[in-house]
Amino acid sequence: MVDLIIMESSCNRKSSSKLESTVQTQATEGMAEAAYNIPVFRQRTAEETEEYQRVATNVGKGLAVIQEELHRMRMATKAQVDSLAIQREVQDMMPKRLDLLDEFPRMPDFLVALRPHTVWEKTPVKLFCTVQGNPRPIVKWYKEGVPVDPLSAPGKYKIENKYGVHSLIISRCVVSDTAEYSAVATNQHGTTTSSATVTVKSKSYSDPVSSMQLSLVMLIHPSKLEVSLLDRFSVTFGVEGSSISLVCTMVVVPNLPNVPPLAQWYRDDKLLKPSKLVEMSVSGSAARLTLPYLAKDDEGLYTLRIFTKDGTAEHSAYLFVSDAAPSAAGAPGAPMSVKAYDINSDYVLVAWKPPNTVNEAPITGYFVDRDSWIQCNDAPVKVCKYPVHGLSLGRSYHFRVRAVNSAGISRASRKSDKVTAIDAAESERLQVIKIEGKYDIVIKDDELEGYVTIPGEPTEVHASEIFKSYVVLSWKPPCPRGRAPLWYIIEKVSWQRINTAVKLHSPRYPVFDLQDGQKYQFRVYSVNMYGSSEASAPSEPIQKVDQDGKGVPSAPGHVVATRNTKSSVFVQWEPPKNPKNLMGYYIDGRVVGSKEWFACNHKPFKHTRFVVHGLIPGETYVFRVQAANVFGLSEESQESSPIAVEPALATPSAPYGIAMLSSDGSSITLAWKSPKHCGGSKVNAYYIDKRDADTLVWKEVNLTGVTERVCTVGDLKEGTFYEFMVQAANLAGVGLPSAPSAPMKCEAWTMEEPGPAYDLSFSEVRSHSLVILWKAPVYTGASAVTGYFVDMAKKGSSEFVTLNQEAVRHRYLQVADLEEGETYVFRVRAVNANGIGKPSQLSDPVCAKALPGTSEIVAGVDEETGDVFLSLEACEICETSKFVWSKNYKPIGDCPRVAVTAKGRTSRLTFTNPDKDDLGKYSVVVTDTDGVSSSYTLTEDALNTMLELSYAIRHPIVPLKHALNYEILEKGHVRFWLQAVKLSPSVSYRFIVNDKEVTSGEGHKISHDVATGIIQMTVDHFTRANEGTYTVQINDGKAKTQSSLVLVGDVFKAALKEAEFQRKEHIRKQGPHFSEYLYFTVTEDCTVMLTCKVANVKKETTLHWYKEEDEIVPETPPSVMSGACAIPIPLFSRKDQGIFKAVLGDDRGKDTSVLDISGQVFDDIINAIAKIAGASASDLVLQCTPEGIRLQCYMNYYTEEMKTVWKHKESKIASSEKMRIGGTAEMAWMQICDPSDKEKGHYSIEISDGVKTHVRTFDLSGQAYTDAYEEYLRLNLTCTVWGEPTPEVTWFKNEQEVASTEHTRVTFDGGKFASLVINKVTPEDSGKYSINVRNKYGGEFVEITVSVYRHGEQIPEPKLGHPKTATPAVTPVPPKSPAPPAKTPTPSPTPVSTPASTPVPKSPTPPRSVKSPTPPRFMKSPTPPRK
């Protein structure tokens, strides 16, 4: 029996065995029974004895009560101990009973059967049952005998099986779900069924019982629910313009869909209400607050308060809202908290809070905008108030504010709440009279004043706002006022009206145009339709006050920063000595060593203490504070002392995960996991307690703390179950004890397989991978451990997957292909020759997600020392953190091959003498963090690259952009130069030529330029003696380099030749010379121009042109002073080939330029002409001649040297008697003699300029051919005449005048072209034709003989002495003509203006110097071309 259990606090630990001995000695002495003598100070008088007895009686009664209570506690404790003993016995028997039951086959049996449910529609229902059997039965669900298939109605049904409980969930029931549902359990020994009915009722169904139940639900008030908060929203950071949600999950009992908890949200202790800017929702699982359009007005402390059965459940966290990107670089942030005050019928006072300016220029003023964002003030107002007047009565307005500084204008603030311009005095003129406490009678003062026409004067004129920018006048409305509409007139100083253009209806008016330093008095008149009142009494003298810089508060006092959490700091300060109506404070922070400040809050904070969140763990910061009021921001306070971001010092949290590693029958080896929170100080000791599982008394195992997380507890009884408890200690003391371990039986382990691995930890946790590490089992079994298997499962699942098919020998494993954001658990099983051992304790759940700001190990080479190193900058760190480096996941420790250093958040592992032995995988873990770690595999290629860079740093060279090179300068000088990437002012160098150093002196100039890195040497006279090797040696500090150039053989000869040429060129340019030698150009009219440019000329300088040594004298003498001279070559052809020369000279010398126009140069000129001519070529034109049909192509210029090809039906045409090809300077033509049907088809001309081919086409078929053929059969005599006045034209045949008929048609076009056309020519048309032209000044007469022969007749030769006739031709046979006549037409004579003589017949292909007998291009062709 246990009479009384006295437990001492585990914190009062004995520090040594000596202390324990002393305590035991004192206890032994205290137990000895010695004679008791009453001390003197306890002896009493009679009165004292009586008083003592009276008190003792009362104490005795109290002791009796205490004894009864002790007896009751003793009996209750005995009953509790007996109950625990029975429970343990039952627990010990249950596994044995279950083991026995599992051995016997049984058919399924429902331990918990289905029960019926009645639910409302649109609500869920859950049917569940528990079934047993051996082997485990399979359960299937049926509805009215039909299997339930969840896939048939996705989201409708959900079937679960957890821990032996089978359930069917029907979501959002409908009336049709009313049915009998069955669960059928089956195994190989039989089948059993459990059924229940589900009744779904419609809301419209009226059932007295259901209505009563519903009414009971409605009677449950939300505040009577039990609510427990689970996941709570943390400190949150947002940006202006974005959206954010604060969510807090909860458990509600009972969870009624129609009765959600009563939740309220607060910002800075002010109750929030739903609006467009604040959205709230609450259910049985979560409360949510959404801010869809963040502004700095939303920053503050947010509190969720839920009313529960036991009071309220609350949670608070701060929301920070930073400035959005500025509209212009350096522009300030937006103002905030814009509100309107003192609202009147045409006046309102707008006020706001200033933004924080950290690194921006100071704010110089503000612009106020109203609806439609019309700017209210022309010049920025410098205080955070502005009176807006000129409003319309009854209209509603919104306002916003923009801040201005030297860099630009800020973004606009959030608009103010809507305000309506109303007459504030109107409500004061109403009186409410109650009659018998029931009825209200509203009476206006107008009704009590009687009939008033002219109002009284205003009173109490004064200035309600006085600033440098403006003064606001205020007064009381008149009394009596009258019923007529009222307005006011204001006068100042010499009683001049100041609001003449505006009717003022409000007893407020802002005055802006007051002079500095001058005092003003004002008076006001009341005016209505009947007249004006007397003037009010003048105001007191009013003067503008210049409070710029003086109105701001003084700087806050001493700033102190203290540790709070691993990412926050607690900052407090003294208020300013001159607060001057403070709005709040702005807190700024800065990383030590940085010059950039950052804002800690973005809305003025009203208190003198603030928690700065979002800091980098382990980083060191300083802070400052500014006070803000309507005039702006104060001066910054003094900076706080630097503080590292570390958690406040506390005792560590409890260890956990106590596991049994081995047992030998008298001792048990334990392992546990370190506390999740070290309390801001390193854990330096662990204390273990034990107890028999059948008792409640804990006994200390170790009086002296152990430093490792493995401990062997001895002095145990074999076969007894023990429980263990561990506490961790640090500088702050001993922390809370862990939860008791599971009972562990002390019995010797004799299995041949190894024991469990332990201390599972994780490193390099990323989105899709991690590394798991563990320690080897303490108990190895009958043989050594040969490897390990690692199993993985998702959190909450019991289905483990083995990650490695073959056992790994090392104690780590890289796990890949994880799902980002998923949480996993792991276990490890050791293997030896006898089999696989016990699995380890499950690891802590780990989420596949990298820490924010995670960085990786960087390999590099120190730029100063050339050391090869690996470095990691931790994203977080604390005061107790250490960087633990490992190679192949084995701690490096003290190793001569590497050296580990740490500075701040960065650790570096430096290789002493790196070689192939250093290759491998290096990892680093930062202790006392949330898993900061990284790894890097050092490969041979990476090491070789870094060794090369290390050698370059330790043996530096001067890097060169360009090696030693040379260039030829004017005058034939040669420059040798090189360019370095960088040179210092202390650089030294030397030039060595053929093993001899060359210094700057006669013939050599040596120099350098530090800015460009160029070192150069110039040789003035470069000769054959300069052939050889050139070297430059450079020394720049520790770095050095050299560069050489070998200038011998052909390379030297080329350089020498170029130098001599440049020397001669320099001499040539001393006199008149050609800056550009002769070259050709072709003008648009295809004239070839030989052009040259000259320089260094004077008036006496002459230029002469030569071809083949024959001088060419141009019509216009060349102008050498213009700088360019040219000579034209018109109608360029092969005859113009030859050598052209230009000679320039005067008394200083002469220069010659030669151009050989032959070969390729001639071809280039022809191609240039063809390019212009081809582009200008007209479409092919059809022209009929006596010989046949001619196709002509007009262009700017044509010469037979141009590459011109005629084609018929894509076949090239060669010049022949049938097809003649020729041209003139104006056109190219192709003559079809005696045309027939074979010549029908598509014709084209191709003009090539060597690059492009210009094509013109003509389709000689169909109507075009018919018209041309008919034209060919005609005889056309044409003559060009001229005279003034226009002469008369008469045609004669055989001295008889020819009249114009269908057979002979006479025309005279434009007073210039006279024609005689003979259609269907016959032999009868032979004869002597003449033309007579005459005007009043005289005339001319031209004759021509035409002979027409029949086809086949012999054409006689002309006889000597006879006049010549035109060359006769045989007239072609027209189609279907049985006897075609022959004709001997003559070509149209060349028009002349001299007395006519018998014309000489022309050749069908005239020479180039004679114009074609066809009309000019501007004349119409007898047969127009087809378009």
Side-chain angles (χ1 to χ4, degrees):
M1 179 181 295
V2 180
D3 294 336
L4 185 64
I5 301 174
I6 301 175
M7 297 180 65
E8 294 183 351
S9 172
S10 299
C11 295
N12 299 326
R13 295 277 178 179
K14 285 76 176 179
S15 60
S16 65
S17 59
K18 181 178 180 180
L19 178 62
E20 181 181 6
S21 176
T22 304
V23 174
Q24 291 176 351
T25 302
Q26 293 175 352
T28 303
E29 293 175 354
M31 292 173 62
E33 297 183 0
Y36 181 75
N37 297 321
I38 300 176
V40 176
F41 67 88
R42 287 193 176 179
Q43 297 177 359
R44 304 181 180 89
T45 61
E47 293 82 3
E48 292 174 345
T49 302
E50 183 179 356
E51 177 67 17
Y52 172 76
Q53 291 175 351
R54 185 180 64 79
V55 173
T57 302
N58 295 331
V59 172
K61 295 179 180 179
L63 288 175
V65 174
I66 293 173
Q67 288 176 354
E68 292 179 2
E69 181 66 18
L70 287 174
H71 179 70
R72 187 188 66 76
M73 292 175 60
R74 193 176 296 116
M75 298 304 295
T77 303
K78 179 179 181 303
Q80 185 176 3
V81 171
D82 292 343
S83 176
L84 289 174
I86 293 172
Q87 290 178 7
R88 286 196 188 92
E89 186 175 356
V90 171
Q91 291 174 358
D92 292 340
M93 294 298 295
M94 284 298 294
K96 298 177 182 178
R97 180 175 179 275
L98 291 175
D99 293 341
L100 293 173
L101 292 176
D102 290 342
E103 295 176 359
F104 297 100
R106 289 185 303 161
M107 69 176 292
D109 181 27
F110 283 95
L111 299 179
V112 178
L114 297 178
R115 64 182 183 87
H117 288 75
T118 300
V119 297
W120 292 109
E121 63 177 350
K122 297 183 180 179
T123 59
V125 65
K126 181 177 182 180
L127 303 176
F128 62 89
C129 60
T130 304
V131 64
Q132 67 177 1
N134 188 24
R136 181 177 297 175
I138 298 174
V139 177
K140 293 186 178 179
W141 292 87
Y142 295 85
K143 175 184 178 182
E144 298 291 356
V146 179
V148 175
D149 183 8
L151 298 178
S152 63
K156 178 69 175 178
Y157 301 105
K158 185 178 181 182
I159 297 176
E160 294 181 345
N161 177 16
K162 291 184 178 180
Y163 311 109
V165 178
H166 300 266
S167 59
L168 170 65
I169 302 172
I170 308 173
S171 62
R172 293 183 64 84
C173 291
V174 295
V175 176
S176 60
D177 291 323
T178 301
E180 183 182 67
Y181 292 83
S182 303
V184 179
T186 305
N187 67 6
Q188 63 188 25
H189 300 292
T191 301
T192 186
T193 303
S194 176
S195 302
T197 301
V198 174
T199 303
V200 181
K201 294 187 176 182
S202 173
K203 298 280 185 174
S204 59
Y205 173 76
S206 178
D207 179 27
V209 177
S210 301
S211 300
M212 182 178 65
Q213 293 175 350
L214 183 60
S215 62
L216 290 175
V217 171
M218 298 303 294
L219 290 176
I220 298 177
H221 192 270
S223 63
K224 302 302 181 182
L225 303 174
E226 294 182 6
V227 181
S228 300
L229 301 181
L230 298 180
D231 296 331
R232 311 172 186 222
F233 57 91
S234 59
V235 175
T236 309
F237 299 87
V239 181
E240 279 186 308
S242 62
S243 173
I244 207 165
S245 294
L246 306 180
V247 183
C248 191
T249 60
M250 64 185 81
V251 174
V252 181
V253 180
N255 187 4
L256 303 175
N258 297 324
V259 187
L262 179 59
Q264 293 179 344
W265 288 90
Y266 295 82
R267 181 197 298 133
D268 296 332
D269 294 330
K270 292 184 179 179
L271 180 64
L272 298 177
K273 296 182 179 180
S275 66
K276 291 182 179 180
L277 301 176
V278 180
E279 299 173 0
M280 303 177 187
S281 64
V282 63
S283 64
S285 59
R288 179 184 297 270
L289 174 71
T290 301
L291 305 173
Y293 309 103
L294 275 181
K296 290 188 291 186
D297 307 60
D298 297 319
E299 183 170 295
L301 182 67
Y302 283 78
T303 301
L304 171 63
R305 183 173 297 156
I306 299 179
F307 294 89
T308 68
K309 181 178 180 181
D310 300 324
T312 58
E314 294 185 5
H315 172 66
S316 299
Y318 211 87
L319 169 63
F320 295 88
V321 182
S322 60
D323 288 297
S327 55
M336 70 213 76
S337 303
V338 180
K339 294 183 179 179
Y341 303 92
D342 197 10
I343 303 167
N344 283 271
S345 58
D346 57 2
Y347 164 92
V348 69
L349 182 64
V350 179
W352 58 90
K353 293 181 180 178
N356 189 9
T357 54
V358 183
N359 299 307
E360 300 84 7
I363 293 175
T364 56
Y366 302 89
F367 285 117
V368 180
D369 305 331
R370 69 183 190 190
D371 276 344
S372 300
W373 308 134
I374 300 171
Q375 188 170 299
C376 300
N377 51 323
D378 297 330
V381 60
K382 295 187 177 182
V383 295
C384 296
K385 283 184 179 180
Y386 186 75
V388 180
H389 65 99
L391 306 181
S392 299
L393 180 63
R395 182 176 172 184
S396 297
Y397 294 90
H398 292 278
F399 298 93
R400 72 177 190 183
V401 183
R402 294 170 294 149
V404 184
N405 69 0
S406 58
I409 301 177
S410 74
R411 294 161 54 97
S413 68
R414 173 181 284 176
K415 67 180 181 181
S416 68
D417 294 335
K418 182 171 64 177
V419 295
T420 304
I422 59 173
D423 188 355
E426 191 67 26
S427 60
E428 298 176 1
R429 294 174 54 78
L430 299 178
Q431 297 185 22
V432 180
I433 301 175
K434 290 185 177 292
I435 300 177
E436 298 180 356
K438 298 181 180 179
Y439 308 102
D440 292 344
I441 297 178
V442 180
I443 301 175
K444 285 188 175 183
D445 287 353
D446 299 342
E447 299 172 356
L448 300 178
E449 293 173 351
Y451 186 74
V452 176
T453 55
I454 297 177
E457 67 273 9
T459 57
E460 299 184 19
V461 180
H462 65 285
S464 58
E465 301 277 346
I466 302 177
F467 295 104
K468 182 180 180 181
S469 303
Y470 62 88
V471 170
V472 177
L473 295 177
S474 301
W475 58 89
K476 283 189 175 181
C479 185
R481 172 177 176 170
R483 301 183 181 182
L486 185 72
W487 65 90
Y488 301 97
I489 294 176
I490 304 174
E491 295 179 344
K492 70 177 180 180
V493 187
S494 58
W495 311 134
Q496 298 174 350
R497 291 189 178 183
I498 63 174
N499 64 323
T500 56
V502 179
K503 271 192 174 183
L504 185 60
H505 298 281
S506 299
R508 304 284 189 277
Y509 185 72
V511 182
F512 293 93
D513 54 349
L514 301 182
Q515 299 295 324
D516 293 337
Q518 185 173 346
K519 294 183 178 181
Y520 295 86
Q521 283 184 300
F522 299 89
R523 65 185 184 185
V524 184
Y525 294 86
S526 302
V527 184
N528 64 10
M529 59 185 294
Y530 299 105
S532 172
S533 71
E534 295 293 329
S536 68
S539 67
E540 295 292 330
I542 299 171
Q543 182 179 359
K544 286 200 308 182
V545 178
D546 184 4
Q547 292 181 323
D548 292 351
K550 301 179 182 177
V552 297
S554 57
H558 185 54
V559 181
V560 178
T562 54
R563 290 165 57 170
N564 188 49
T565 68
K566 68 176 183 178
S567 62
S568 65
V569 167
F570 182 72
V571 180
Q572 52 187 344
W573 58 91
E574 295 177 358
K577 295 181 180 179
N578 299 314
K580 297 182 180 179
N581 299 319
L582 275 180
M583 291 181 179
Y585 301 92
Y586 282 119
I587 302 93
D588 302 334
R590 176 175 60 84
V591 176
V592 173
S594 172
K595 296 181 180 180
E596 294 292 326
W597 290 88
F598 61 88
C600 300
N601 63 322
H602 307 87
K603 178 181 175 182
F605 187 72
K606 294 183 178 180
H607 305 287
T608 56
R609 57 191 183 279
F610 187 76
V611 178
V612 180
H613 289 274
L615 304 178
I616 300 174
E619 192 62 84
T620 303
Y621 294 86
V622 294
F623 299 91
R624 69 185 184 190
V625 184
Q626 284 180 285
N629 67 1
V630 69
F631 294 98
L633 304 182
S634 71
E635 295 291 330
E636 294 92 352
S637 68
Q638 293 184 353
E639 297 178 7
S640 69
S641 299
I643 183 170
V645 182
E646 304 286 352
L649 193 62
T651 58
S653 60
Y656 64 102
I658 302 174
M660 180 178 179
L661 301 183
S662 69
S663 175
D664 59 4
S666 62
S667 65
I668 294 177
T669 301
L670 303 174
W672 57 90
K673 297 180 180 179
S674 57
K676 293 185 178 180
H677 304 288
C678 65
S681 175
K682 181 182 177 181
V683 174
N684 53 24
Y686 292 96
Y687 296 97
I688 302 97
D689 293 342
K690 70 176 180 179
R691 73 177 178 186
D692 191 326
D694 296 333
T695 67
L696 298 178
V697 180
W698 289 96
K699 295 182 180 178
E700 300 173 349
V701 173
N702 59 318
L703 296 178
T704 303
V706 296
T707 57
E708 301 296 330
R709 287 184 288 109
V710 177
C711 179
T712 299
V713 180
D715 195 19
L716 304 179
K717 295 180 181 179
E718 187 172 6
T720 303
F721 284 89
Y722 290 92
E723 294 178 351
F724 299 93
M725 188 169 61
V726 183
Q727 292 172 277
N730 64 3
L731 290 177
V734 181
L736 295 174
S738 67
S741 69
M744 301 178 183
K745 188 175 182 181
C746 182
E747 60 179 358
W749 284 9
T750 58
M751 64 271 197
E752 296 180 348
E753 298 82 5
Y758 69 100
D759 200 14
L760 275 65
S761 60
F762 301 98
S763 177
E764 305 157 44
V765 179
R766 301 295 184 265
S767 299
H768 302 286
S769 64
L770 57 82
V771 175
I772 181 172
L773 304 97
W774 61 89
K775 292 183 179 178
V778 173
Y779 179 81
T780 59
S783 59
V785 174
T786 58
Y788 301 89
F789 287 106
V790 180
D791 303 331
M792 178 184 76
K794 292 185 177 180
K795 182 182 179 182
S797 173
S798 59
E799 299 178 358
F800 281 86
V801 178
T802 302
L803 299 177
N804 51 320
Q805 300 302 321
E806 296 182 1
V808 295
R809 300 184 62 84
H810 46 72
R811 294 192 300 275
Y812 64 90
L813 183 69
Q814 177 88 29
V815 182
D817 300 327
L818 302 179
E819 297 179 20
E820 184 175 4
E822 188 63 68
T823 303
Y824 299 88
V825 293
F826 295 84
R827 69 184 184 190
V828 178
R829 294 172 293 153
V831 182
N832 64 8
N834 301 95
I836 302 176
K838 291 183 178 181
S840 68
Q841 193 178 53
L842 287 182
S843 69
D844 291 337
V846 57
C847 180
K849 185 179 180 181
L851 290 174
T854 296
S855 57
E856 304 295 343
I857 292 177
V858 177
V861 180
D862 192 286
E863 295 181 356
E864 298 293 332
T865 63
D867 293 333
V868 177
F869 66 85
L870 302 177
S871 175
L872 175 71
E873 183 178 3
C875 58
E876 66 173 81
I877 198 172
C878 68
E879 187 177 354
T880 59
S881 294
K882 290 185 178 181
F883 292 86
V884 180
W885 286 86
S886 303
K887 181 180 180 182
N888 298 326
Y889 296 100
K890 294 181 180 179
I892 292 177
D894 295 331
C895 177
R897 299 190 65 87
V898 296
V900 178
T901 57
K903 184 177 181 181
R905 294 189 294 122
T906 302
S907 176
R908 176 182 286 190
L909 182 142
T910 305
F911 296 93
T912 307
N913 188 17
D915 55 26
K916 292 184 179 180
D917 293 338
D918 293 310
L919 301 180
K921 189 169 187 177
Y922 291 84
S923 61
V924 60
V925 175
V926 185
T927 63
D928 296 332
T929 62
D930 288 339
V932 178
S933 56
S934 182
S935 66
Y936 180 86
T937 302
L938 184 61
T939 62
E940 185 173 359
D941 290 342
L943 180 61
N944 291 337
T945 301
M946 290 189 288
L947 287 175
E948 291 176 3
L949 181 57
S950 174
Y951 181 85
I953 293 174
R954 292 175 176 175
H955 305 85
I957 62 173
V958 178
L960 299 179
K961 279 187 179 180
H962 300 284
L964 186 61
N965 207 336
Y966 77 94
E967 65 174 334
I968 310 299
L969 306 178
E970 291 183 352
K971 304 181 183 181
H973 297 174
V974 179
R975 172 177 173 254
F976 295 89
W977 64 279
L978 60 76
Q979 185 177 16
V981 174
K982 185 180 180 182
L983 292 178
S984 69
S986 59
V987 64
S988 62
Y989 55 90
R990 61 177 186 160
F991 276 89
I992 300 174
V993 180
N994 295 331
D995 299 330
K996 294 182 179 180
E997 183 176 356
V998 178
T999 59
S1000 185
E1002 186 176 353
H1004 299 83
K1005 295 179 182 178
I1006 300 175
S1007 62
H1008 74 282
D1009 185 358
V1010 173
T1012 60
I1014 292 177
I1015 299 174
Q1016 62 184 2
M1017 176 182 70
T1018 303
V1019 180
D1020 293 342
H1021 191 63
F1022 194 71
T1023 64
R1024 293 187 179 277
N1026 295 108
E1027 184 176 8
T1029 302
Y1030 293 76
T1031 302
V1032 180
Q1033 296 178 347
I1034 306 174
N1035 289 298
D1036 195 356
K1038 296 180 180 180
K1040 60 179 64 176
T1041 191
Q1042 76 173 25
S1043 180
S1044 298
L1045 174 67
V1046 178
L1047 203 59
V1048 296
D1050 293 340
V1051 177
F1052 173 77
K1053 291 178 181 178
L1056 181 62
K1057 183 178 179 180
E1058 177 67 17
E1060 291 176 349
F1061 172 77
Q1062 291 296 340
R1063 191 178 304 115
K1064 292 178 181 179
E1065 277 291 286
H1066 174 70
I1067 296 172
R1068 181 179 70 86
K1069 291 179 181 179
Q1070 301 308 304
H1073 62 275
F1074 291 98
S1075 59
E1076 290 187 23
Y1077 289 110
L1078 278 176
Y1079 61 94
F1080 71 89
T1081 59
V1082 180
T1083 63
E1084 285 299 319
D1085 61 355
C1086 294
T1087 298
V1088 177
M1089 302 293 293
L1090 299 184
T1091 307
C1092 61
K1093 293 184 180 180
V1094 298
N1096 196 17
V1097 295
K1098 58 184 180 178
K1099 292 181 179 181
E1100 292 79 11
T1101 304
T1102 59
L1103 177 68
H1104 297 277
W1105 298 96
Y1106 297 89
K1107 178 184 179 185
E1108 302 292 351
E1109 302 302 331
D1110 294 331
E1111 184 174 359
I1112 304 172
V1113 180
E1115 295 180 1
T1116 304
S1119 176
V1120 296
M1121 296 304 295
S1122 64
C1125 299
I1127 184 171
I1129 305 177
L1131 303 177
F1132 183 86
S1133 63
R1134 195 172 299 280
K1135 64 181 176 58
D1136 296 310
Q1137 290 188 104
I1139 298 175
F1140 288 79
K1141 181 169 61 175
V1143 178
L1144 182 71
D1146 59 21
D1147 57 354
R1148 296 171 295 169
K1150 68 177 182 178
D1151 195 8
T1152 303
S1153 176
V1154 176
L1155 179 62
D1156 185 1
I1157 300 181
S1158 63
Q1160 187 61 45
V1161 176
F1162 179 81
D1163 293 342
D1164 291 343
I1165 296 175
I1166 292 298
N1167 286 337
I1169 294 173
K1171 180 178 181 182
I1172 298 173
S1176 68
S1178 68
D1179 292 333
L1180 288 179
V1181 177
L1182 185 144
Q1183 176 68 44
C1184 291
T1185 66
E1187 291 83 2
I1189 299 173
R1190 177 180 292 183
L1191 296 178
Q1192 302 174 159
C1193 181
Y1194 293 93
M1195 59 191 75
N1196 287 358
Y1197 176 67
Y1198 173 76
T1199 178
E1200 61 184 8
E1201 285 80 11
M1202 291 166 52
K1203 298 175 183 177
T1204 305
V1205 177
W1206 288 88
K1207 289 185 178 180
H1208 176 223
K1209 298 179 181 179
E1210 302 303 326
S1211 297
K1212 184 177 179 181
I1213 300 173
S1215 184
S1216 63
E1217 289 297 326
K1218 184 68 174 178
M1219 298 283 193
R1220 299 178 185 175
I1221 297 174
T1224 67
E1226 297 176 350
M1227 68 177 175
W1229 53 259
M1230 191 274 297
Q1231 176 78 44
I1232 306 173
C1233 298
D1234 297 331
S1236 62
D1237 289 347
K1238 291 182 180 180
E1239 282 70 51
K1240 289 183 180 181
H1242 188 273
Y1243 288 85
S1244 64
I1245 182 174
E1246 296 180 355
I1247 306 169
S1248 175
D1249 60 12
V1251 177
K1252 183 179 179 182
T1253 300
H1254 308 270
V1255 181
R1256 301 294 184 266
T1257 61
F1258 189 87
D1259 188 6
L1260 187 60
S1261 60
Q1263 188 64 36
Y1265 178 80
T1266 301
D1267 294 344
Y1269 191 80
E1270 290 179 357
E1271 178 70 18
Y1272 163 66
L1273 295 179
R1274 299 186 185 101
L1275 177 61
N1276 190 350
L1277 302 177
T1278 305
C1279 187
T1280 303
V1281 300
W1282 61 275
E1284 186 63 32
T1286 302
E1288 297 178 357
V1289 177
T1290 307
W1291 287 91
F1292 297 90
K1293 175 184 178 184
N1294 298 329
E1295 299 181 356
Q1296 297 292 324
E1297 184 175 353
V1298 179
S1300 181
T1301 63
E1302 289 185 2
H1303 182 63
T1304 57
R1305 182 163 54 89
V1306 177
T1307 60
F1308 185 33
D1309 294 334
K1312 187 173 183 181
F1313 303 106
S1315 299
L1316 172 62
V1317 179
I1318 304 173
N1319 296 315
K1320 298 181 180 179
V1321 179
T1322 64
E1324 286 74 18
D1325 293 317
S1326 299
K1328 183 182 292 184
Y1329 288 83
S1330 59
I1331 181 173
N1332 185 17
V1333 293
R1334 181 173 297 278
N1335 63 8
K1336 65 180 181 178
Y1337 297 106
E1340 290 189 13
F1341 188 81
V1342 178
E1343 290 183 350
I1344 187 169
T1345 301
V1346 176
S1347 299
V1348 181
Y1349 297 88
R1350 293 185 182 277
H1351 186 72
E1353 291 183 356
Q1354 183 68 29
I1355 300 175
E1357 292 293 333
K1359 296 180 181 181
L1360 295 174
H1362 287 216
K1364 292 184 179 181
T1365 59
T1367 303
V1370 178
T1371 303
V1373 180
K1376 300 181 181 179
S1377 178
K1383 67 179 181 179
T1384 309
T1386 60
S1388 299
T1390 303
V1392 295
S1393 57
T1394 58
S1397 60
T1398 303
V1400 180
K1402 307 291 191 258
S1403 170
T1405 306
R1408 292 187 52 183
S1409 59
V1410 181
K1411 292 188 177 179
S1412 171
T1414 56
R1417 291 182 58 182
F1418 55 79
M1419 291 181 62
K1420 295 183 179 178
S1421 171
T1423 304
R1426 293 171 61 90
K1427 294 185 179 178

